Amino acid sequence: MASDTIINDLGEEINLNEGLQVVAFKLRDEEYGVNIFQVQEIRNLVDITRVPFSASYIKGVINLRGSVLPVIDLKSRLGLEQTPYTENTRIVTVMVGDLPVGMLVDAVTETLTIRSKLVDTKKAINEKDISKFLSGIGNIDGRLVIMLNLEEIVGVPS
């Protein structure tokens, strides 16, 4: 593998000269991103049905075209302080392995192409519990986008 390539979450080799495409979104005041190949759709906030005895970061489930879709509260999962829902709050549906999952985010900002190498979060963050949820930090003209490791967030073995 050449030094200007990485392996994405789907096991595909990505040439960073061509760029890594990500869907960027806000959680509080920070911008996060996930590989565009994992994103299925972006939906407006709908009623979420709570599931008793589920993990604290599981907001509940929604009906997605006749299927039950679990919804994760990303701020809760990442240990961030909660903020009220707004008209910009979205549910980003992603595929983690072959499991579809919804993620609550404050707002979807845009689709970006990261053309530089990702910064290794292990060097940037000392907190071991949170660093496992991050796959790197992308720098787009001085704009930092924190890339999420969806397998760890959802708890799917990689």
Side-chain angles (χ1 to χ4, degrees):
M1 181 167 71
S3 63
D4 58 352
T5 62
I6 63 169
I7 303 297
N8 70 13
D9 296 334
L10 301 175
E12 301 165 333
E13 190 172 307
I14 301 292
N15 183 337
L16 290 174
N17 293 326
E18 297 170 7
L20 174 66
Q21 288 192 307
V22 301
V23 173
F25 52 86
K26 291 277 191 175
L27 294 175
R28 299 194 51 80
D29 296 327
E30 300 297 327
E31 198 164 22
Y32 293 80
V34 294
N35 189 318
I36 196 169
F37 294 117
Q38 289 185 284
V39 176
Q40 299 296 304
E41 68 179 302
I42 299 166
R43 301 176 53 89
N44 288 330
L45 185 61
V46 296
D47 287 335
I48 300 172
T49 303
R50 291 282 309 156
V51 177
F53 307 108
S54 62
S56 61
Y57 62 89
I58 304 288
K59 191 69 176 172
V61 295
I62 61 172
N63 179 348
L64 182 64
R65 293 182 289 282
S67 297
V68 175
L69 180 75
V71 177
I72 292 175
D73 184 332
L74 266 184
K75 285 185 281 194
S76 176
R77 183 66 168 142
L78 297 175
L80 303 174
E81 186 178 324
Q82 291 297 318
T83 54
Y85 298 144
T86 69
E87 63 185 32
N88 294 323
T89 302
R90 297 291 183 262
I91 298 174
V92 178
T93 304
V94 295
M95 287 298 286
V96 183
D98 50 359
L99 176 69
V101 177
M103 302 184 310
L104 270 175
V105 302
D106 290 336
V108 173
T109 53
E110 61 187 306
T111 304
L112 300 168
T113 302
I114 299 175
R115 295 193 190 284
S116 61
K117 291 184 181 179
L118 293 177
V119 174
D120 184 4
T121 58
K122 308 297 186 265
K123 296 174 185 163
I125 300 172
N126 292 331
E127 184 68 39
K128 193 174 196 178
D129 289 340
I130 192 71
S131 68
K132 70 180 180 180
F133 296 139
L134 310 178
S135 62
I137 300 174
N139 185 344
I140 304 156
D141 299 324
R143 179 175 163 193
L144 298 180
V145 178
I146 302 165
M147 297 299 297
L148 296 178
N149 179 345
L150 295 181
E151 285 75 13
E152 286 290 336
I153 289 172
V154 174
V156 173
S158 49

